[in-house]
Structures are given as C-alpha cells and as structure tokens.
Amino acid sequence: MPRLKNNQTGCFAGHHTMLGQYDKNKSKIKSIYTDWANHYLKRAGKVHLIEDLQRDFSDGVLLADVIEAATRDTVPDVTTRPSSTTHMLENIEHCLDYLAAKGINLEGVSALDVKD
C-alpha cells in the first residue's frame, strides 16, 4: 500500500483542493455580478447598492431596481416596502415574470429559489 504524504487521505487527497477552488470561483462570480449590478444602480442614481447578492435580493426590491436600471423600464407591481414574506416573494415573482416577458430563459428558477 502506498504511503500518503502528510494530510492526504487516499482518493480524497485532492477533494479539499477542488472544494476550495469551487468556493473561490463561486465567490469570484458573485463579485462580478455584484460589480455589474452596482454599476447600473450607480448609473441610475440609486442610493442602495448591493453588498451581498443573496441577502440584498431576498425581498425583490433591489432586484427590481437592478432590472429597471439595466433596462430603463419599470418592473410593474413591486411593493417598495414589503412587510411580509408573501410581499417579498411576490416582488421577486414580478421581477422573474418581467424578465421572462423580455425573453430571458428562467426555466427552473422560482421566487423561492431567489429568496432563499
């Protein structure tokens, strides 16, 4: 049986390295999308910018702002101060419906996916 060096554990020796690379790429992709969205928000004169995509899109308001800034159009029926989870999910659904109407393929993406 071959000897393993230091912390290697057979077939899982490169597993931690691959996971680390995946997390690094995921973080880089999030950063690219955040920078892109903030560019449009700044250009539209919006005060609130994205710090964390997951958290900041969870109520649908900033998501609608990004869509509106990028398209120079209005996402209809968005509640700007959602007071319940239902309002938040409706906001996200309005955003997804708007994008789908513009021809964006969102198959398999739900409001709950975006919120959570």
Side-chain angles (χ1 to χ4, degrees):
M1 176 175 245
R3 294 182 67 86
L4 300 175
K5 295 180 182 178
N6 297 333
N7 62 354
Q8 289 183 329
T9 55
C11 64
F12 297 108
H15 183 69
H16 293 293
T17 304
M18 289 186 321
L19 284 178
Q21 187 64 33
Y22 172 77
D23 287 341
K24 187 177 180 181
N25 288 341
K26 188 175 171 183
S27 177
K28 187 174 184 176
I29 290 167
K30 278 182 159 179
S31 177
I32 290 167
Y33 279 115
T34 300
D35 291 346
W36 174 86
N38 282 336
H39 164 79
Y40 280 98
L41 289 170
K42 288 176 190 173
R43 190 173 85 176
K46 300 290 183 178
V47 176
H48 295 100
L49 299 179
I50 299 167
E51 293 178 23
D52 179 278
L53 280 171
Q54 187 72 37
R55 184 190 68 228
D56 294 340
F57 281 179
S58 67
D59 68 1
V61 175
L62 200 51
L63 176 59
D65 284 347
V66 170
I67 293 168
E68 291 174 356
T71 63
R72 296 184 179 160
D73 199 3
T74 301
V75 177
D77 303 320
V78 172
T79 303
T80 56
R81 294 186 188 272
S83 58
S84 68
T85 300
T86 301
H87 288 148
M88 294 175 191
L89 290 170
E90 287 173 352
N91 280 349
I92 297 167
E93 193 64 42
H94 293 311
C95 291
L96 296 177
D97 289 345
Y98 174 87
L99 292 171
K102 294 293 183 186
I104 309 264
N105 181 1
L106 297 170
E107 187 175 326
V109 178
S110 72
L112 195 57
D113 293 332
V114 175
K115 176 150 182 24
D116 294 336

